[in-house]
Amino acid sequence: MAVYIKEATAISPQNTFGAKVLPEEPATYTDVNMLRCIEPVYRDFIDPMVARRMSRIVKMGVCCALRCLRDSGIEVPDAIIAGTGLGCLEDTEKFLGSIYANEEKLLNPTPFIQSTHNTVAGAVALAIKCHNYNATYTHRGFSFENALEDALLQLAENPGLRMLTGGFDEVTPGSYEITRRMGLWKNHPVSNLSLEQYHTRGSLPGEGVAFFMLGGRKDAGDWAAIRSIQTFYKPASEAEVAQRISNFMADCGLKTGKPDLVIFGKNGDVTGDRYYEYVISGLLKNIPHVSYKHLCGEYDTSASFALWLAALMIKEQRIPSYLEGGKNLPRELNHVLIYNHLRGVNHSLYFLERC
Amino acid sequence: MPDSVFVTGVGIISAIGSDVESVWSSLKEGRTGIGPMKLIDSAYKGELPVAEIYASNKELLGTALPRVKNYYSRTALLGMIAARQAIVQSGAGSESLENAGLISANTVGGMDRTEIFYKGFMSDKSSGRIREAAGHDCGDSTEKIADNLGIRGYLSTINTACSSSANAIMLGARMIRQGKLKMAITGGVDCLTKFTINGFNSLMILDREQCRPFDENRNGLNLGEAAAYLVLESAEEVRRQGKRILGEISGYGNACDAYHQTASSPEGHGAFLSMKQALETAGLGPSDISYINTHGTGTKNNDLSEGVAIERLFQDVIPPCSSTKSFTGHTLGAAAAVEAVLSILALQNNCIYPNLNFSVQMHELHFAPVTGFKTVQGMRHIMSNSFGFGGNNSSLIFSKH
Amino acid sequence: MEQLIAKLKSEIIEVLNLSELSPDEIDENAPLFVEGLGLDSIDALELIVLLEKNYGLKLGTAEEGKKVLRSVRSMAEFIRENNKG
């Protein structure tokens, strides 16, 4: 059974908000240590009285979800399902800081309330008075995939449903500092379009939000179809990864045996990119491939950006020239595979089809 | 007709006991776990009661856990202990675990370690041991539990605030019904943290005394810590392996109150919807429910809203109700799983737990909670409610097989 | 009194993130909750913190809280009455 992407919206370091065609030019960032989102005008979507309490990521999340709803012409979806690796960091740090700064006395409650991971999904429901299913997943590099799998399960039970599903994560100065000390990022400034050319350890942190309107029945104007998704945890070796991908493609029942294009989650970190290199030189040899993290940076739910990108490429039947690695690109995009992993631990596969 | 989902193992560690047997005797003897803070380091020591597990991380480490490091969050340690108990009872071998799913819930991840790290980090960005911060996220404990027990088939972590682990159990049941998993270990965990104690205190909803759910003079909740897990298996697996069935997950509902970010609606709309959906998925009517294990936090707002919703749905025949948070405290991400384990025990022992500390009937409601431990005949179906911030309301129904 | 009201207004704007408003736009006699400014229970908690932090005043019962937090003027009166020494 396939699930159809009816509509999608992304807020990212690129000009993606509300885009119905792929941006002609990429946003470039020179000598930076993180990529941050280009923020939309919130007051077009969120009442300022409501927005006044919201941190940046909550505003981005709610605004992106409401835009996706508006563009799909759906007032109240049958479910709101979100995925986030780290939740609402800014308010978490704010409340944690206030505990120590004030020795646990007279603390402002607002950052505590806003720090919970389900703030975005709850605030979207509140904004549109949606009493239907509401859930938030938060499992590192599986967060968005968990949310999507939940939507797919429910659509298998009832294809007529409309599920608003998305992913969000933010980078804050505090979280950057902590993850930098963990050795996740390059120890020198980076120009985003050259992310894969450094051949050093560490990646470039990023952030983003993407929401999708999903349904189980095909309509005219659908962007793309999700045939299947799969997650796998801590593979023992690159060979196991290749085996998993091979099994996944076989399960998807691909007639030609190969997708037209593979989108990889290469992030410029030589330690993690070896999984991609292994399948590029083996299992997926001679299949055109591109990668996307030079556009959005690395974050737990970055595959939601890749899904947005893939769906729009399939809809438009066009591969923008600024995607990394593009050689011998196909003229038609009928089947697209996305393979991403977070730190070699959380691996995910998506199989998309043209509608 | 979708396949049945059976519970074949349960595990629990909470302030009223560190395994199923000791929890059961506390419940039977009316012994609460709510008491003074002992281990948690907070300015509210001596002032706010909590349901704390009086065993240090070092003592927890010693509970025969292989390959566990002393810097693991208390969240991960508690989770491993309860999940292991559930797996042992279910008799699952390493091969089934390899393909099993772990669907775990928590609300503040490894915050207990983050707090240690952050205090120094605030003033000096280069201070603190970075590994203390590495388990901050909610997914960390799930992966540590999975690694500790050899679960590799599917991993998922849920955070819908105080209803989190109800949604974990619901997802596990749904995946089994659709044949995506044969076995799912589902539940949740949260340890006490300065973050949550101060958070709920800033909302002015922590009772300075033991909580009094559904009492006219209730004055807030007590926080607690716990971990609880249930092993869910498909009917086919249970038959094939001839396993003992402890109960069935027969119904589930998830609805959103969409009223206010923290407060519940006066008419309990979300609660009404989640209970109604749970009845519908189970194919049951209100009169089939033998007992409701309520969310019953003891706050003015929750108990009124939940009580009104129960009256709206069950009308003239309200089943016996009680809040076991008067024993376990409110264990946030673990709460629904704790109450699921308690519901399974109630089904097996044909009993209803007392709602401690109740004395005065709420003037807005027409029913009062059960106040003494009761054995009943013909217990068939138990409903358990769990509601959270963000209006996330979930209800589960456990049935005798 | 008027000085205190003006000070309170800017403090309220700050703690409740009402940066869209200028102090002049807040009517000190209008209800703060539901009507008027349309504040809610979370704002009430923030205002209780404000009174204690900036003026050292604790609100006793919920009933007293409702009366004190009715409007900017009622808050100012409460501060004046209790700060006489």
Side-chain angles (χ1 to χ4, degrees), chain A residues 22-24 290 295 309 313 318-324 326 329:
Chain A
L22 291 155
E24 287 300 328
V290 293
L295 300 174
L309 190 67
M313 287 199 293
R318 187 167 76 87
I319 303 168
S321 56
Y322 49 79
L323 287 179
E324 286 265 0
L329 294 176

Side-chain angles (χ1 to χ4, degrees), chain A residues 43 48-49 52-53 94 102 105-111 113, chain C residues 16-18 20 37-40 42-43 45-46 49 52-53:
Chain A
R43 57 163 60 241
M49 256 322 254
R52 73 195 161 96
R53 282 194 194 127
K94 205 168 169 182
N102 301 293
K105 300 291 174 200
L106 291 174
L107 307 182
N108 299 99
T110 306
I113 294 165
Chain C
L16 302 185
N17 291 317
L18 293 162
E20 305 274 326
L37 272 188
L39 304 183
D40 70 2
I42 300 172
D43 297 309
L45 293 169
E46 294 287 2
V49 173
E52 194 168 346
K53 234 183 190 164

Side-chain angles (χ1 to χ4, degrees), chain B residues 3-135:
Chain B
D3 208 357
S4 299
V5 180
F6 293 121
V7 179
T8 59
V10 294
I12 184 167
I13 177 164
S14 92
I16 57 168
S18 54
D19 55 27
V20 168
E21 288 70 31
S22 54
V23 162
W24 169 248
S25 33
S26 293
L27 289 163
K28 210 173 165 193
E29 290 153 24
R31 216 168 34 234
T32 185
I34 300 165
M37 288 183 198
K38 284 188 185 167
L39 300 165
I40 175 98
D41 169 34
S42 164
Y44 293 98
K45 207 172 252 186
E47 192 179 333
L48 288 171
V50 290
E52 190 173 24
I53 297 165
Y54 293 140
S56 67
N57 284 10
K58 207 172 164 191
E59 287 165 302
L60 293 176
L61 271 165
T63 337
L65 297 168
R67 296 184 300 276
V68 177
K69 302 283 197 302
N70 62 6
Y71 57 84
Y72 280 13
S73 70
R74 192 167 169 86
T75 320
L77 296 176
L78 295 173
M80 287 171 190
I81 292 169
R84 180 178 297 276
Q85 291 171 11
I87 286 168
V88 168
Q89 187 178 25
S90 81
S94 59
E95 198 187 323
S96 354
L97 290 174
E98 179 97 357
N99 298 310
L102 175 63
I103 303 166
S104 183
N106 68 81
T107 66
V108 287
M111 184 62 84
D112 57 320
R113 308 306 295 192
T114 308
E115 286 171 355
I116 298 171
F117 174 81
Y118 206 80
K119 194 177 178 181
F121 178 78
M122 269 173 70
S123 45
D124 176 3
K125 299 283 174 249
S126 64
S127 91
R129 286 188 304 178
I130 201 70
R131 68 179 182 202
E132 303 275 20

Side-chain angles (χ1 to χ4, degrees), chain B residues 204-222 297-301 303-304 355-365 369:
Chain B
M204 299 185 182
I205 51 171
L206 291 183
D207 199 331
R208 262 56 190 164
E209 290 161 45
Q210 301 219 346
C211 66
R212 289 157 277 177
F214 294 102
D215 189 280
E216 175 73 8
N217 300 314
R218 68 197 180 283
N219 198 25
L221 58 88
N222 307 130
T297 56
T299 64
K300 295 261 183 228
N301 182 238
D303 296 3
L304 177 57
N355 186 112
L356 303 178
N357 312 323
F358 175 86
S359 54
V360 184
Q361 162 80 36
M362 282 170 65
H363 73 273
E364 300 96 335
L365 298 182

Side-chain angles (χ1 to χ4, degrees), chain A residues 217-353:
Chain A
R217 295 202 184 107
K218 192 173 169 171
D219 293 304
D222 288 348
W223 289 29
I226 303 172
R227 163 66 63 183
S228 185
I229 60 172
Q230 196 184 90
T231 58
F232 55 99
Y233 175 64
K234 286 190 182 169
S237 62
E238 289 95 323
E240 185 186 333
V241 169
Q243 190 57 52
R244 295 264 191 181
I245 295 176
S246 169
N247 295 348
F248 177 72
M249 291 198 301
D251 289 346
C252 291
L254 200 55
K255 285 197 187 83
T256 59
K258 306 274 174 178
D260 304 307
L261 180 75
V262 186
I263 301 177
F264 287 115
K266 283 192 193 176
N267 70 3
D269 180 343
V270 286
T271 48
D273 283 350
R274 65 193 162 98
Y275 291 100
Y276 305 112
E277 303 301 347
Y278 184 85
V279 290
I280 287 168
S281 58
L283 176 72
L284 303 173
K285 201 171 182 175
N286 300 326
I287 300 178
H289 61 86
V290 293
S291 49
Y292 67 93
K293 281 182 189 160
H294 59 300
L295 300 174
C296 65
E298 177 66 291
Y299 55 101
D300 289 10
T301 48
S302 80
S304 64
F305 180 84
L307 183 63
W308 173 86
L309 190 67
L312 199 45
M313 287 199 293
I314 292 172
K315 180 182 167 218
E316 273 199 80
Q317 289 292 307
R318 187 167 76 87
I319 303 168
S321 56
Y322 49 79
L323 287 179
E324 286 265 0
K327 269 185 219 142
N328 310 317
L329 294 176
R331 258 177 290 161
E332 280 197 5
L333 288 175
N334 293 313
H335 301 103
V336 174
L337 173 74
I338 302 173
Y339 165 47
N340 181 48
H341 72 78
L342 186 74
R343 300 196 268 285
V345 172
N346 308 115
H347 298 247
S348 58
L349 296 167
Y350 296 65
F351 202 86
L352 307 184
E353 287 173 340

